[in-house]
Amino acid sequence: MTRLYKRNPAAETAPLGKGLMVLEPKERKFCALNATSSLIWAKLHEAVSAEELAKHIVASYQGVEEADALRDVRAIIDEMTSLGIVIPVG
């Protein structure tokens, strides 16, 4: 079964240049998201897999290979999960 992820509903966001600042309020952890991470964050409003996120990155940026996008998405999701701003579902 494919693992799905979504935003922690308690996370708060604020604009930061071309990205976002995300706060996990319980542990008071901050995460600055660049443009690519912000694109991923936007898709996490609903449960989505790393594979779906990688396809979205490939469709959004020219010259990005799906395998590279998937590797990067997994690293970003792992970091967001460790900070508590993204939670696994299902």
Side-chain angles (χ1 to χ4, degrees):
M1 185 169 144
T2 301
R3 176 165 267 190
L4 301 178
Y5 301 89
K6 69 176 185 173
R7 297 177 193 169
N8 177 343
E12 301 173 20
T13 61
L16 179 68
K18 292 184 179 187
L20 291 172
M21 178 67 70
V22 182
L23 165 68
E24 191 288 311
K26 183 178 177 191
E27 299 294 326
R28 301 188 54 81
K29 292 182 182 177
F30 287 91
C31 184
L33 306 182
N34 64 17
T36 303
S37 295
S38 295
L39 188 65
I40 291 169
W41 179 259
K43 294 294 280 184
L44 290 165
H45 66 89
E46 61 185 12
V48 64
S49 70
E51 292 79 10
E52 291 171 297
L53 291 168
K55 288 178 183 177
H56 182 61
I57 295 297
V58 169
S60 299
Y61 293 101
Q62 286 186 317
V64 177
E65 298 291 328
E66 194 164 334
D68 294 332
L70 182 57
R71 182 192 65 239
D72 293 346
V73 162
R74 285 183 174 147
I76 291 166
I77 290 295
D78 287 347
E79 179 70 18
M80 290 178 166
T81 301
S82 73
L83 293 170
I85 63 172
V86 167
I87 54 175
V89 294

Coordinates of all heavy atoms in Angstrom, one line a residue:
M1 N 0.8 -1.2 0.0 CA 0.0 0.0 0.0 C 0.9 1.2 0.0 O 1.9 1.3 0.7 CB -0.9 0.0 1.2 CG -1.9 1.1 1.2 SD -3.1 0.8 2.6 CE -3.4 2.5 3.1
T2 N 0.5 2.2 -0.8 CA 1.3 3.5 -0.9 C 1.0 4.3 0.3 O -0.2 4.5 0.7 CB 0.9 4.2 -2.2 OG1 1.1 3.4 -3.3 CG2 1.6 5.5 -2.3
R3 N 2.0 4.9 0.9 CA 1.8 5.8 2.0 C 1.4 7.2 1.5 O 1.9 7.7 0.6 CB 3.1 5.9 2.8 CG 3.0 6.9 4.0 CD 4.1 6.7 4.9 NE 3.6 5.8 5.9 CZ 4.2 5.6 7.1 NH1 5.4 6.1 7.3 NH2 3.7 4.7 8.0
L4 N 0.4 7.7 2.2 CA -0.1 9.1 1.9 C 0.3 10.0 3.0 O 0.5 9.6 4.2 CB -1.6 9.0 1.8 CG -2.1 8.1 0.7 CD1 -3.7 8.1 0.7 CD2 -1.6 8.4 -0.7
Y5 N 0.5 11.3 2.6 CA 0.8 12.3 3.5 C -0.1 13.5 3.4 O -0.7 13.7 2.3 CB 2.3 12.8 3.2 CG 3.3 11.7 3.3 CD1 3.6 10.9 2.2 CD2 3.9 11.5 4.5 CE1 4.5 9.9 2.3 CE2 4.9 10.4 4.6 CZ 5.2 9.7 3.5 OH 6.1 8.7 3.6
K6 N -0.2 14.3 4.4 CA -0.9 15.6 4.3 C -0.4 16.6 5.4 O 0.4 16.2 6.3 CB -2.5 15.4 4.5 CG -2.9 15.0 5.9 CD -4.4 14.9 6.0 CE -4.8 14.7 7.5 NZ -6.2 14.7 7.7
R7 N -0.8 17.8 5.2 CA -0.4 18.8 6.2 C -0.9 18.5 7.6 O -2.0 18.0 7.7 CB -1.0 20.2 5.8 CG -0.5 20.7 4.5 CD -1.3 22.0 4.3 NE -1.1 22.5 3.0 CZ -1.8 23.5 2.5 NH1 -2.7 24.1 3.2 NH2 -1.7 23.8 1.2
N8 N -0.1 18.8 8.6 CA -0.6 18.8 9.9 C -1.6 20.0 10.0 O -1.2 21.1 9.8 CB 0.6 19.0 10.9 CG 0.1 19.1 12.4 OD1 -1.0 19.3 12.7 ND2 1.1 18.9 13.3
P9 N -2.9 19.7 10.4 CA -3.9 20.8 10.4 C -3.5 21.9 11.4 O -4.0 23.0 11.3 CB -5.2 20.1 10.7 CG -4.8 18.7 11.2 CD -3.4 18.4 10.7
A10 N -2.7 21.6 12.4 CA -2.3 22.6 13.4 C -1.2 23.5 12.9 O -1.0 24.6 13.5 CB -1.9 21.9 14.7
A11 N -0.5 23.2 11.8 CA 0.6 24.0 11.3 C 0.0 25.3 10.8 O -1.0 25.4 10.2 CB 1.3 23.3 10.2
E12 N 0.8 26.4 11.1 CA 0.5 27.7 10.6 C 1.5 28.2 9.6 O 2.7 27.8 9.7 CB 0.5 28.7 11.8 CG -0.5 28.2 12.9 CD -0.3 29.1 14.2 OE1 0.2 30.2 14.1 OE2 -0.8 28.6 15.2
T13 N 1.1 29.0 8.6 CA 2.0 29.4 7.6 C 2.0 31.0 7.5 O 1.0 31.6 7.8 CB 1.6 28.9 6.2 OG1 0.3 29.3 5.9 CG2 1.7 27.4 6.2
A14 N 3.1 31.5 6.9 CA 3.2 32.9 6.6 C 4.1 33.0 5.4 O 5.1 32.2 5.2 CB 3.9 33.7 7.8
P15 N 3.8 34.0 4.5 CA 4.7 34.2 3.3 C 6.1 34.5 3.7 O 6.3 35.2 4.7 CB 4.0 35.3 2.6 CG 2.9 35.8 3.4 CD 2.8 35.0 4.6
L16 N 7.1 34.1 2.9 CA 8.5 34.4 3.1 C 9.1 34.4 1.8 O 9.5 33.4 1.2 CB 9.1 33.3 4.0 CG 10.6 33.4 4.3 CD1 10.8 34.6 5.2 CD2 11.1 32.2 5.0
G17 N 9.3 35.6 1.2 CA 9.8 35.7 -0.1 C 9.0 35.0 -1.1 O 7.8 35.1 -1.2
K18 N 9.7 34.1 -1.9 CA 9.0 33.2 -2.9 C 8.5 31.9 -2.2 O 8.0 31.1 -2.9 CB 9.9 32.9 -4.1 CG 10.1 34.2 -4.9 CD 10.9 33.8 -6.1 CE 11.2 35.1 -6.9 NZ 11.8 34.8 -8.2
G19 N 8.7 31.8 -0.9 CA 8.3 30.5 -0.3 C 7.4 30.8 0.9 O 6.6 31.8 0.9
L20 N 7.5 30.0 1.9 CA 6.6 30.0 3.1 C 7.4 29.7 4.3 O 8.4 29.0 4.3 CB 5.5 29.0 3.0 CG 4.4 29.1 2.0 CD1 3.6 27.9 2.0 CD2 3.6 30.3 2.3
M21 N 7.0 30.3 5.4 CA 7.5 29.9 6.8 C 6.3 29.1 7.4 O 5.2 29.5 7.4 CB 7.8 31.1 7.6 CG 8.2 30.8 9.0 SD 9.8 29.9 9.1 CE 10.9 31.3 8.6
V22 N 6.6 27.9 7.9 CA 5.6 27.0 8.5 C 6.0 26.8 9.9 O 7.2 26.5 10.2 CB 5.5 25.7 7.7 CG1 4.4 24.8 8.4 CG2 5.3 25.9 6.3
L23 N 5.1 26.9 10.8 CA 5.3 26.7 12.3 C 4.4 25.5 12.7 O 3.2 25.4 12.4 CB 4.9 27.9 13.1 CG 4.7 27.7 14.6 CD1 6.0 27.5 15.2 CD2 4.0 28.9 15.2
E24 N 5.1 24.6 13.4 CA 4.4 23.5 14.1 C 4.2 24.0 15.5 O 5.2 24.1 16.3 CB 5.2 22.2 14.0 CG 4.4 21.0 14.5 CD 4.2 20.9 16.0 OE1 5.1 21.1 16.7 OE2 3.0 20.7 16.4
P25 N 3.0 24.4 16.0 CA 2.8 25.1 17.2 C 3.1 24.3 18.5 O 3.6 24.9 19.5 CB 1.4 25.6 17.2 CG 0.7 24.7 16.2 CD 1.7 24.3 15.2
K26 N 2.8 23.0 18.5 CA 3.0 22.2 19.7 C 4.4 22.2 20.2 O 4.8 22.5 21.3 CB 2.5 20.8 19.5 CG 2.5 20.0 20.8 CD 2.0 18.6 20.5 CE 2.1 17.7 21.8 NZ 1.8 16.3 21.5
E27 N 5.3 21.9 19.2 CA 6.8 21.8 19.5 C 7.5 23.1 19.2 O 8.7 23.2 19.4 CB 7.4 20.6 18.7 CG 6.8 19.3 19.1 CD 7.1 18.8 20.5 OE1 8.2 19.2 21.0 OE2 6.3 18.2 21.1
R28 N 6.8 24.1 18.6 CA 7.3 25.4 18.2 C 8.5 25.2 17.3 O 9.5 25.8 17.5 CB 7.6 26.2 19.5 CG 6.4 26.4 20.3 CD 6.6 27.4 21.4 NE 7.2 28.7 21.1 CZ 6.5 29.7 20.5 NH1 5.2 29.6 20.4 NH2 7.0 30.9 20.2
K29 N 8.3 24.4 16.3 CA 9.4 24.2 15.3 C 9.0 24.9 14.0 O 7.9 24.9 13.6 CB 9.5 22.7 15.0 CG 10.1 21.9 16.1 CD 10.3 20.4 15.7 CE 10.8 19.6 16.9 NZ 10.9 18.2 16.5
F30 N 10.0 25.6 13.5 CA 9.8 26.4 12.2 C 10.5 25.7 11.1 O 11.5 25.0 11.2 CB 10.4 27.8 12.4 CG 9.7 28.7 13.3 CD1 10.0 28.8 14.6 CD2 8.7 29.5 12.7 CE1 9.3 29.7 15.4 CE2 8.0 30.4 13.6 CZ 8.3 30.5 14.9
C31 N 9.9 25.9 9.9 CA 10.5 25.4 8.7 C 10.3 26.4 7.6 O 9.2 26.9 7.3 CB 9.9 24.1 8.3 SG 10.6 23.3 6.8
A32 N 11.4 26.8 6.9 CA 11.4 27.8 5.8 C 11.3 26.9 4.5 O 12.1 26.1 4.3 CB 12.6 28.7 5.8
L33 N 10.3 27.2 3.7 CA 10.1 26.4 2.5 C 10.5 27.3 1.3 O 10.0 28.4 1.2 CB 8.6 26.0 2.3 CG 8.0 25.2 3.5 CD1 6.6 24.8 3.1 CD2 8.8 24.0 3.8
N34 N 11.3 26.7 0.4 CA 11.6 27.4 -0.8 C 10.4 27.2 -1.8 O 9.4 26.7 -1.5 CB 12.9 26.9 -1.4 CG 12.9 25.5 -1.8 OD1 11.9 24.9 -2.0 ND2 14.1 24.9 -1.9
A35 N 10.6 27.7 -3.0 CA 9.5 27.7 -4.0 C 9.1 26.2 -4.3 O 7.9 25.9 -4.4 CB 9.9 28.4 -5.3
T36 N 10.0 25.3 -4.4 CA 9.7 23.9 -4.7 C 9.0 23.3 -3.5 O 7.9 22.6 -3.7 CB 10.9 23.1 -5.1 OG1 11.6 23.7 -6.2 CG2 10.6 21.7 -5.4
S37 N 9.5 23.5 -2.3 CA 8.9 22.9 -1.1 C 7.5 23.5 -0.9 O 6.6 22.8 -0.5 CB 9.7 23.1 0.1 OG 10.9 22.4 0.0
S38 N 7.3 24.8 -1.3 CA 6.0 25.4 -1.2 C 5.0 24.8 -2.1 O 3.8 24.7 -1.8 CB 6.1 26.9 -1.4 OG 6.9 27.6 -0.4
L39 N 5.5 24.4 -3.3 CA 4.6 23.8 -4.3 C 4.2 22.4 -3.8 O 3.0 22.1 -3.9 CB 5.4 23.6 -5.6 CG 4.7 23.1 -6.8 CD1 3.7 24.1 -7.3 CD2 5.7 22.8 -8.0
I40 N 5.1 21.7 -3.1 CA 4.7 20.4 -2.5 C 3.7 20.7 -1.4 O 2.7 20.0 -1.2 CB 6.0 19.7 -2.0 CG1 6.8 19.2 -3.1 CG2 5.6 18.6 -1.0 CD1 8.2 18.8 -2.8
W41 N 4.0 21.7 -0.5 CA 3.1 22.0 0.6 C 1.7 22.3 0.1 O 0.7 21.9 0.7 CB 3.6 23.3 1.3 CG 2.8 23.7 2.5 CD1 1.9 24.8 2.5 CD2 2.7 23.1 3.8 NE1 1.3 24.9 3.7 CE2 1.8 23.9 4.5 CE3 3.3 22.0 4.4 CZ2 1.5 23.6 5.9 CZ3 3.0 21.7 5.7 CH2 2.1 22.5 6.4
A42 N 1.6 23.0 -1.0 CA 0.2 23.4 -1.6 C -0.5 22.1 -1.9 O -1.8 22.1 -1.7 CB 0.4 24.3 -2.8
K43 N 0.1 21.1 -2.4 CA -0.6 19.8 -2.8 C -0.9 19.0 -1.6 O -1.8 18.1 -1.7 CB 0.3 19.0 -3.7 CG 0.6 19.6 -5.1 CD -0.7 19.7 -5.9 CE -1.0 18.4 -6.5 NZ -2.2 18.5 -7.4
L44 N -0.3 19.3 -0.4 CA -0.6 18.5 0.8 C -1.8 18.9 1.5 O -2.0 18.5 2.6 CB 0.7 18.6 1.7 CG 1.9 17.8 1.2 CD1 3.1 18.2 2.0 CD2 1.7 16.3 1.3
H45 N -2.7 19.7 0.9 CA -3.9 20.1 1.5 C -4.8 18.9 1.6 O -5.8 18.9 2.4 CB -4.6 21.2 0.8 CG -5.1 20.9 -0.6 ND1 -6.3 20.4 -0.8 CD2 -4.4 21.0 -1.8 CE1 -6.4 20.1 -2.2 NE2 -5.3 20.5 -2.7
E46 N -4.5 17.9 0.8 CA -5.3 16.6 0.9 C -4.2 15.5 0.9 O -3.0 15.7 0.6 CB -6.2 16.4 -0.3 CG -5.5 16.4 -1.7 CD -6.4 16.4 -2.8 OE1 -7.6 16.6 -2.7 OE2 -5.9 16.1 -4.0
A47 N -4.6 14.3 1.3 CA -3.7 13.2 1.3 C -3.2 12.9 0.0 O -3.9 12.7 -1.0 CB -4.4 11.9 1.9
V48 N -1.9 12.8 -0.1 CA -1.2 12.5 -1.4 C 0.1 11.7 -1.2 O 0.7 11.7 -0.2 CB -0.9 13.9 -2.1 CG1 0.1 14.7 -1.3 CG2 -0.5 13.7 -3.5
S49 N 0.4 10.9 -2.2 CA 1.6 10.1 -2.1 C 2.9 10.9 -2.6 O 2.7 11.8 -3.4 CB 1.5 8.8 -3.0 OG 1.5 9.1 -4.3
A50 N 4.0 10.4 -2.3 CA 5.3 10.9 -2.8 C 5.3 10.8 -4.3 O 5.8 11.7 -5.0 CB 6.5 10.3 -2.1
E51 N 4.8 9.7 -4.8 CA 4.8 9.6 -6.3 C 4.0 10.6 -7.0 O 4.4 11.1 -8.0 CB 4.4 8.1 -6.6 CG 5.3 7.0 -6.2 CD 5.2 6.7 -4.7 OE1 4.3 7.1 -4.0 OE2 6.1 5.9 -4.3
E52 N 2.8 10.9 -6.4 CA 1.9 11.9 -7.0 C 2.6 13.3 -6.9 O 2.5 14.1 -7.9 CB 0.6 12.0 -6.3 CG -0.3 10.7 -6.5 CD -1.5 10.7 -5.6 OE1 -1.3 10.6 -4.4 OE2 -2.6 10.8 -6.2
L53 N 3.3 13.6 -5.8 CA 4.0 14.8 -5.6 C 5.1 15.0 -6.7 O 5.3 16.0 -7.2 CB 4.5 15.0 -4.2 CG 3.5 15.2 -3.1 CD1 4.1 15.0 -1.8 CD2 2.8 16.5 -3.3
A54 N 5.8 13.9 -6.9 CA 6.9 13.9 -7.9 C 6.4 14.2 -9.3 O 7.0 15.0 -10.0 CB 7.7 12.6 -7.8
K55 N 5.3 13.6 -9.6 CA 4.7 13.8 -10.9 C 4.3 15.3 -11.1 O 4.4 15.9 -12.1 CB 3.5 12.9 -11.2 CG 3.9 11.5 -11.4 CD 2.7 10.6 -11.6 CE 3.2 9.2 -11.7 NZ 2.2 8.2 -11.9
H56 N 3.8 15.9 -10.0 CA 3.4 17.3 -10.0 C 4.7 18.2 -10.2 O 4.6 19.2 -10.9 CB 2.7 17.7 -8.6 CG 2.3 19.1 -8.6 ND1 1.4 19.6 -9.4 CD2 2.6 20.1 -7.7 CE1 1.2 20.9 -9.1 NE2 1.9 21.2 -8.1
I57 N 5.8 17.8 -9.6 CA 7.0 18.6 -9.7 C 7.5 18.5 -11.2 O 7.9 19.5 -11.8 CB 8.1 18.0 -8.8 CG1 7.8 18.3 -7.3 CG2 9.5 18.6 -9.1 CD1 7.6 19.8 -6.9
V58 N 7.5 17.3 -11.8 CA 7.9 17.1 -13.1 C 7.0 17.9 -14.1 O 7.5 18.5 -15.0 CB 7.8 15.6 -13.5 CG1 8.0 15.4 -15.0 CG2 8.9 14.8 -12.8
A59 N 5.7 18.0 -13.8 CA 4.8 18.8 -14.6 C 5.0 20.3 -14.5 O 4.7 21.1 -15.4 CB 3.4 18.4 -14.3
S60 N 5.6 20.7 -13.3 CA 5.7 22.1 -13.0 C 7.1 22.7 -13.4 O 7.2 23.9 -13.6 CB 5.5 22.3 -11.5 OG 4.3 21.9 -11.1
Y61 N 8.1 21.9 -13.6 CA 9.4 22.3 -13.9 C 10.0 21.6 -15.1 O 9.9 20.4 -15.2 CB 10.4 22.1 -12.7 CG 10.1 22.9 -11.5 CD1 9.4 22.3 -10.4 CD2 10.5 24.2 -11.4 CE1 9.2 23.1 -9.3 CE2 10.2 25.0 -10.3 CZ 9.6 24.4 -9.2 OH 9.3 25.2 -8.1
Q62 N 10.5 22.3 -16.1 CA 11.1 21.7 -17.3 C 12.4 21.0 -16.9 O 13.2 21.5 -16.1 CB 11.4 22.8 -18.3 CG 10.2 23.3 -19.0 CD 10.5 24.3 -20.1 OE1 11.4 25.1 -20.0 NE2 9.8 24.1 -21.2
G63 N 12.6 19.9 -17.6 CA 13.9 19.2 -17.5 C 14.1 18.4 -16.2 O 15.2 17.9 -16.0
V64 N 13.1 18.2 -15.4 CA 13.2 17.4 -14.2 C 12.8 16.0 -14.5 O 11.7 15.8 -15.0 CB 12.4 18.0 -13.1 CG1 12.4 17.1 -11.8 CG2 12.8 19.4 -12.7
E65 N 13.6 15.0 -14.2 CA 13.3 13.6 -14.4 C 12.5 13.1 -13.2 O 12.7 13.6 -12.1 CB 14.6 12.8 -14.5 CG 15.5 13.2 -15.7 CD 14.8 12.8 -17.0 OE1 14.1 11.8 -17.0 OE2 15.1 13.5 -18.0
E66 N 11.6 12.2 -13.5 CA 10.7 11.8 -12.4 C 11.5 11.1 -11.3 O 11.1 11.2 -10.1 CB 9.6 10.8 -12.9 CG 8.5 10.6 -12.0 CD 7.3 10.0 -12.6 OE1 7.0 10.2 -13.8 OE2 6.5 9.3 -11.8
A67 N 12.5 10.3 -11.6 CA 13.3 9.6 -10.5 C 14.0 10.6 -9.6 O 14.0 10.5 -8.4 CB 14.3 8.7 -11.2
D68 N 14.5 11.7 -10.2 CA 15.1 12.8 -9.4 C 14.1 13.5 -8.6 O 14.4 13.8 -7.4 CB 15.9 13.8 -10.3 CG 17.0 13.2 -11.1 OD1 17.6 12.2 -10.6 OD2 17.3 13.7 -12.2
A69 N 13.0 13.8 -9.2 CA 11.9 14.4 -8.4 C 11.4 13.6 -7.2 O 11.2 14.1 -6.1 CB 10.7 14.8 -9.3
L70 N 11.3 12.3 -7.5 CA 10.8 11.4 -6.4 C 11.8 11.3 -5.3 O 11.5 11.4 -4.1 CB 10.6 10.0 -6.9 CG 10.0 9.0 -6.0 CD1 8.7 9.5 -5.3 CD2 9.8 7.6 -6.6
R71 N 13.1 11.3 -5.6 CA 14.2 11.3 -4.5 C 14.1 12.5 -3.7 O 14.1 12.5 -2.5 CB 15.5 11.1 -5.2 CG 16.7 11.1 -4.2 CD 18.0 11.2 -4.8 NE 18.2 12.5 -5.4 CZ 18.4 12.8 -6.7 NH1 18.6 11.8 -7.5 NH2 18.5 14.0 -7.1
D72 N 14.0 13.7 -4.4 CA 13.9 15.0 -3.7 C 12.6 15.1 -2.9 O 12.7 15.6 -1.8 CB 14.0 16.1 -4.7 CG 15.4 16.2 -5.3 OD1 16.4 15.5 -4.8 OD2 15.6 16.9 -6.4
V73 N 11.5 14.7 -3.4 CA 10.2 14.8 -2.7 C 10.3 13.9 -1.5 O 9.9 14.4 -0.4 CB 9.0 14.3 -3.6 CG1 7.8 14.0 -2.8 CG2 8.7 15.4 -4.7
R74 N 10.8 12.7 -1.6 CA 10.9 11.9 -0.4 C 11.8 12.5 0.7 O 11.5 12.5 1.9 CB 11.5 10.5 -0.7 CG 10.4 9.6 -1.4 CD 11.0 8.3 -1.7 NE 9.9 7.4 -2.3 CZ 10.1 6.5 -3.1 NH1 11.3 6.2 -3.6 NH2 9.1 5.8 -3.6
A75 N 12.9 13.2 0.3 CA 13.7 13.9 1.3 C 13.0 15.0 1.9 O 13.1 15.2 3.2 CB 15.0 14.4 0.6
I76 N 12.2 15.8 1.1 CA 11.5 16.9 1.7 C 10.4 16.4 2.6 O 10.2 17.0 3.7 CB 10.9 17.8 0.5 CG1 12.0 18.5 -0.2 CG2 9.9 18.8 1.0 CD1 11.6 19.1 -1.6
I77 N 9.7 15.4 2.2 CA 8.6 14.8 3.0 C 9.1 14.3 4.3 O 8.6 14.5 5.4 CB 7.8 13.7 2.3 CG1 7.0 14.3 1.1 CG2 6.9 12.9 3.2 CD1 5.9 15.3 1.6
D78 N 10.3 13.6 4.3 CA 10.9 13.1 5.5 C 11.3 14.2 6.5 O 11.0 14.2 7.7 CB 12.2 12.3 5.2 CG 11.9 11.0 4.6 OD1 10.7 10.5 4.6 OD2 12.9 10.3 4.0
E79 N 11.8 15.3 5.9 CA 12.2 16.5 6.7 C 10.9 17.1 7.3 O 10.8 17.4 8.5 CB 12.9 17.5 5.9 CG 13.3 18.8 6.7 CD 14.4 18.5 7.7 OE1 15.1 17.5 7.7 OE2 14.5 19.4 8.6
M80 N 9.9 17.3 6.5 CA 8.6 17.9 7.0 C 8.0 17.0 8.1 O 7.4 17.5 9.0 CB 7.7 18.2 5.8 CG 8.1 19.3 4.9 SD 6.9 19.4 3.5 CE 7.3 21.0 2.8
T81 N 8.0 15.7 7.9 CA 7.5 14.8 8.8 C 8.2 14.8 10.1 O 7.6 14.9 11.2 CB 7.5 13.4 8.2 OG1 6.7 13.4 7.0 CG2 6.8 12.4 9.2
S82 N 9.6 14.9 10.1 CA 10.4 15.0 11.3 C 10.1 16.2 12.1 O 10.2 16.3 13.3 CB 11.8 14.9 11.0 OG 12.3 16.0 10.4
L83 N 9.7 17.3 11.4 CA 9.3 18.6 12.1 C 7.9 18.6 12.5 O 7.5 19.5 13.2 CB 9.6 19.8 11.1 CG 11.1 20.0 10.8 CD1 11.2 21.0 9.6 CD2 11.9 20.4 12.0
G84 N 7.1 17.6 12.1 CA 5.7 17.6 12.5 C 4.8 18.4 11.7 O 3.6 18.6 12.1
I85 N 5.2 19.0 10.6 CA 4.3 19.9 9.8 C 3.6 19.0 8.8 O 2.6 19.5 8.2 CB 5.0 21.1 9.2 CG1 6.1 20.6 8.2 CG2 5.6 22.0 10.3 CD1 6.7 21.8 7.4
V86 N 4.1 17.8 8.5 CA 3.4 16.9 7.7 C 3.2 15.6 8.4 O 4.1 15.2 9.2 CB 4.2 16.6 6.4 CG1 3.7 15.4 5.6 CG2 4.2 17.9 5.5
I87 N 2.0 15.0 8.2 CA 1.8 13.7 8.9 C 1.4 12.6 7.9 O 0.7 12.9 6.9 CB 0.6 13.9 10.0 CG1 -0.6 14.5 9.3 CG2 1.1 14.8 11.1 CD1 -1.8 14.6 10.2
P88 N 1.9 11.4 8.2 CA 1.4 10.3 7.4 C 0.0 9.9 7.7 O -0.5 10.1 8.8 CB 2.4 9.1 7.7 CG 3.1 9.6 8.9 CD 2.9 11.0 9.2
V89 N -0.8 9.5 6.7 CA -2.2 9.1 6.9 C -2.4 7.8 6.3 O -1.7 7.3 5.4 CB -3.1 10.2 6.3 CG1 -3.1 11.5 7.0 CG2 -2.9 10.3 4.8
G90 N -3.4 7.1 6.8 CA -3.7 5.8 6.2 C -2.9 4.6 6.7 O -2.0 4.6 7.4

